[in-house]
Amino acid sequence: MWQGHNNILANIKAELRNIIIGAIDKAKEDGSLKIENLPDFPVQKPDQPEYGDLSTSLALMLAKEAKMAPRKIAGTIIDCIDDNKLIQKIEIAGPGFINFFLTDDWLHDLLKTIHDKKEKYGESDVAKGQKAQVEFVSANPVGPLNVVSARAASVGDSIANLLKAIGYEVERESYINDAGGQVNTFARSLEARYRQIMGDDVEFPEDGYHGAYIKELAQELIDDFDCELHQKSEEERLGFFREEGLQRMIQGQKDDLSNFRVVFDVWASEKSVRDSGKVNHVIQYLKDNGYTYSWEGAVWFKSTLFCDDRDRPAIKSNGDVTYIVPDWAYHLDKSQRGFDKVIDLWGPDHHGYINRMQAGMQALGLSPEWLEILIVQQVNLLSKGQAVRMSKRAGQFVTLKQLVDELTEKVGHEFAVDVARFFFQMRSTSSHLDFDMDLAIQQAEANPVFYIQYAHARICSIFRQAEEQGIDRCNSNDVNLGLMSTLEERELMKKLSEFPDTIQDSALDREPHRIARYLQDLASTFHSFYNKCRVLDADNMDMTKARMFLVSCVQITLKNGLSLLGISAPTSM
RNA sequence: GUGCCUGUAGCUCAGAUGGAUAGAGCGUUAGACUCCGGAUCUAAAGGCCGUCGGUUCGAAUCCGACCAGGCAUACCA
């Protein structure tokens, strides 16, 4: 089974399921229930505490086959359940739900487990021994990273964290599109700005990159390489701008990302893929296997043989390969590096390329499941309520750096990154996102991340107070957890128990926003508890110790969850 | 035209495998602790879950057809 031994909730569900199956068998034997086979039935947390700790709709599912009323089936099942230490009380409710009220032992086991596991609480070994790679923020290096990349960076980094938490060995990689026509356009744009700064009356190329950053970069290069630039021919200079300019843009992207707490293990380069001969190898392989044909001066790949709705050009009529070919070569290289699973995060504008990518992978002999391509949905740029078409060419965009800088002015650098990352990770990756810089800054202080962080800081504060009063933290042997029986205390413990499942679901579905959601829930449950139950009470040291134990488990879980999202857990705010 | 994403409270969004009275934040209204941090808590108001069919004991969830918004759409990357 995939439940780790530290997933108490999963264990308790499995145990309850076995008890129910045992009861069904017994009912079948004595003839009180007539069914052939047992369907896969849910054992889940009901949405109201008064419906118990766990619940099943099994009786409803069996009604048809057993030809009995669901409530009657429920009664039959309950009659066949032997006394056991797990269950305190069972009720039949509504149309035939069986609601289980459990004794609190499992909640106490849970707290001890959290306390033991500390920063490992929530992790599992579902994917133990497997290697995964996450490729994200694969942007053109001809401009600074924008807010679209900021979203991708947040999401990709967290997906990598989540995969690691379920046992994968994970590598983060970014692919630089430092080859192809755009790179020449970039160089020509720099050259034009260079000459303009030098006083030449040259026109800026219409298809060039109009953003102000090109002008700044040209000036920077003039400052650093003035004399050398003069001596070069125009052709030499273009080559220089291409090399040096790209290097600086790429370095800028790396700096922006590391400021955003996103660090890649590998930066792969399209140019080196092209230079390596792997591209020719791929073309040759496709030709040799009869996957290509010539038509109208171009070489076409028969992607319709696989999963595409039309064939795709692989070599243009001018002799250059289309951009997909180095991408195939690049992914073939990934497979040779021994990854069991490769996940690519793409923007929605590349959606149409998924099929031809996968078709190529299949032609190259890779299984369709090996490469998983996720679309991180679009970010619509808004300015003063009006949609702005983002365009690198036109210089119309908001950069990652701008976002972090402006948030830093408002809330400081540490919180700026927290606010931005949470902002992007609150929503599912499939939802379209309207981004308004002014609004984002204005609402920075209202960001829900502070609600979560406040819960953590509050707990830290309790422990500071305790220390001042000379109350020690204690281990599980000296504490009577059974003292905690109020609704708020039990709800808080139950919420803590959901963390491992949340990580697993979130990781397997590649949806980090569920962690964000969970943390808001947990913080909310904690704040309610805090307002109802006083932790430090000099007149009741046993209760104080029990609640301190609980609260430290909340602290651990909050911190682990925030860390998955790349967000800090401040001890004070 | 075709493919994909989206449509849930005034706004921004959650609702895995179908389950009980569809949730949260913001906003609105009314309240709370002379005591652990008020960046908190409690409560109220607010809904044809885009529309119409289908499957099911049961549908926001699955299927089909529509409607609306967005993105992509054969040799840019």
Side-chain angles (χ1 to χ4, degrees), chain A residues 191 194-195 228-241:
Chain A
E191 168 73 8
Y194 165 75
R195 294 185 55 176
E228 295 166 52
L229 287 172
H230 285 307
Q231 291 159 10
K232 288 183 198 294
S233 68
E234 180 170 336
E235 200 175 326
E236 285 172 332
R237 220 167 32 232
L238 278 169
F240 175 80
F241 281 142

Side-chain angles (χ1 to χ4, degrees), chain A residues 107-139:
Chain A
L107 291 173
H108 304 154
D109 289 346
L110 169 79
L111 296 187
K112 289 171 193 166
T113 301
I114 297 173
H115 212 258
D116 288 346
K117 297 280 175 189
K118 294 265 182 326
E119 72 280 356
K120 301 267 184 208
Y121 175 61
E123 292 182 5
S124 61
D125 51 11
V126 182
K128 196 175 180 185
Q130 295 192 61
K131 249 180 99 178
Q133 187 213 49
V134 186
E135 183 208 318
F136 57 110
V137 195
S138 295

